[in-house]
Amino acid sequence: MFRYAYFPGCSAESSAIEYDMSTREVCKKLGIELVDIPFNCCGTHIVEEFDECSWLALNARNLALAEELGLDMVTICSSCFYNLRKANAMIRQSEEVRKRINDILGKIGRMYDGKVEVKHILGVLVDDYGIDGIIRNVEKLIEIKASPYYGCLILRPEEIVQFDNPEAPRKMEDLLETIGCEIFENPFKVDCCGAPIMLIDKKTHLKMVKKILEGAKGADCIVTVCPLCHYALDVGQAVIGYEPKIPVLHVTQILGLALGIPAEKLGLDKNVTPTEPLLKKI
């Protein structure tokens, strides 16, 4: 019943291996089937700004792979989620764009008709699988103060992502409360972490990271839904020497703990900010 073409994104093969690990383990536990596809990079914003047609074709190829399987697509990356949904909307809304892109895809023996829905893993868990289904699978309540951090691209632009209230989202809070967490409200939970500028303006990026960390001070952990946000907040603490350290968990890592999945299978030893103090508290 729950079967999706899986688009992990490039970060899942490098800086966010633990996000991919924990996602696969959680989905296996819940009976959600992830069908791997031979994906290519979504191109992020860089390729789009350089050559929109190439960017569209990159995303259309991924969507075509899912369409060939008759499946909707799920991704764990907010940037990939945004790019795939934006490209999908452009192809669906314009016959001219669809023809131009299919002329390109035709050179590799593929085409895309616009039949795929693009979803984020958080949306699949909360909206498709459902809170009631998750409750039935919880083996251990995670009774800690968790601070949700959404970042930008899972929420905005609202007309493209259509995911949650961009100023007052609730999906992550609903999931975390379901597994026993007390929500620690961060006033900056929908602010940008500055990940896109970390290589060109490190000072500004780290200033943005510090603000978000300060907003979560007092929480037992921060929970993220984007590998780039996770990297910025997790590694950023080490770069700026931030104290006291706040463990930063992917949403599938903390859910996995509640489902009784061992910490090592969730990749919690791969997080840069140590998670051992949090695991002892849990």
Side-chain angles (χ1 to χ4, degrees), residues 81-98:
F81 175 66
Y82 163 75
N83 277 280
L84 286 161
R85 285 190 66 89
K86 181 178 180 181
N88 205 25
M90 291 171 68
I91 293 167
R92 284 174 164 179
Q93 292 167 8
S94 171
E95 182 65 36
E96 179 184 347
V97 170
R98 186 160 59 251

Side-chain angles (χ1 to χ4, degrees), residues 5-270:
Y6 181 43
F7 187 90
C10 302
S11 297
E13 296 188 338
S14 54
S15 59
I17 292 173
E18 70 281 359
Y19 196 7
D20 178 61
M21 288 173 60
S22 56
T23 296
R24 291 180 186 275
E25 289 293 331
V26 162
C27 287
K28 180 181 177 181
K29 181 82 174 187
L30 295 176
I32 299 172
E33 183 180 357
L34 301 178
V35 180
D36 287 295
I37 58 174
F39 73 92
N40 56 259
C41 178
C42 72
T44 67
H45 320 295
I46 300 168
V47 175
E48 181 186 8
E49 291 168 4
F50 178 73
D51 185 340
E52 183 183 83
C53 189
S54 296
W55 169 80
L56 271 169
L58 285 170
N59 284 281
R61 178 188 174 275
N62 290 317
L63 293 164
L65 293 173
E67 190 173 74
E68 288 168 14
L69 296 171
L71 299 174
D72 287 334
M73 178 180 285
V74 61
T75 181
I76 59 176
C77 174
S78 298
S79 182
C80 296
F81 175 66
Y82 163 75
N83 277 280
L84 286 161
R85 285 190 66 89
K86 181 178 180 181
N88 205 25
M90 291 171 68
I91 293 167
R92 284 174 164 179
Q93 292 167 8
S94 171
E95 182 65 36
E96 179 184 347
V97 170
R98 186 160 59 251
K99 183 180 184 305
R100 177 157 46 96
I101 293 306
N102 278 324
D103 285 345
I104 297 172
L105 292 181
K107 296 177 182 179
I108 57 171
R110 290 199 153 86
M111 67 174 293
Y112 180 57
D113 285 332
K115 296 177 181 177
V116 174
E117 292 295 336
V118 180
K119 305 185 178 190
H120 189 281
I121 187 62
L122 178 61
V124 164
L125 292 168
V126 174
D127 298 328
D128 292 3
Y129 196 85
I131 294 296
D132 289 343
I134 289 172
I135 289 173
R136 289 193 293 270
N137 286 278
V138 169
E139 295 186 8
K140 180 183 179 63
L141 291 177
I142 310 300
E143 297 177 324
I144 59 171
K145 293 180 181 179
S147 180
Y149 177 71
Y150 289 86
C152 306
L153 292 175
I154 197 172
L155 298 172
R156 301 183 293 271
E158 185 180 11
E159 64 272 14
I160 291 174
V161 294
Q162 298 177 349
F163 185 77
D164 205 339
N165 185 322
E167 301 303 326
R170 280 294 313 175
K171 289 191 196 297
M172 202 172 353
E173 285 83 348
D174 290 345
L175 179 61
L176 293 173
E177 287 176 342
T178 294
I179 62 174
C181 296
E182 176 185 343
I183 301 301
F184 187 97
E185 194 65 38
N186 186 335
F188 310 115
K189 70 179 181 181
V190 300
D191 286 12
C192 180
C193 67
I197 64 168
M198 68 171 67
L199 297 179
I200 59 173
D201 192 343
K202 185 177 179 180
K203 183 178 179 180
T204 299
H205 160 62
L206 292 176
K207 183 178 179 180
M208 295 166 78
V209 165
K210 185 175 181 181
K211 180 184 74 170
I212 294 162
L213 294 173
E214 288 291 319
K217 184 173 284 188
D220 293 311
C221 71
I222 298 170
V223 183
T224 64
V225 289
C226 174
L228 295 177
C229 295
H230 184 275
Y231 183 90
L233 299 178
D234 193 29
V235 176
Q237 293 184 60
V239 174
I240 65 178
Y242 189 81
E243 296 291 345
K245 292 287 188 291
I246 309 173
V248 185
L249 273 61
H250 300 284
V251 67
T252 46
Q253 286 183 312
I254 194 166
L255 175 57
L257 291 172
L259 298 178
I261 300 170
E264 60 272 18
K265 287 191 174 183
L266 299 170
L268 282 157
D269 59 329
K270 300 183 183 300

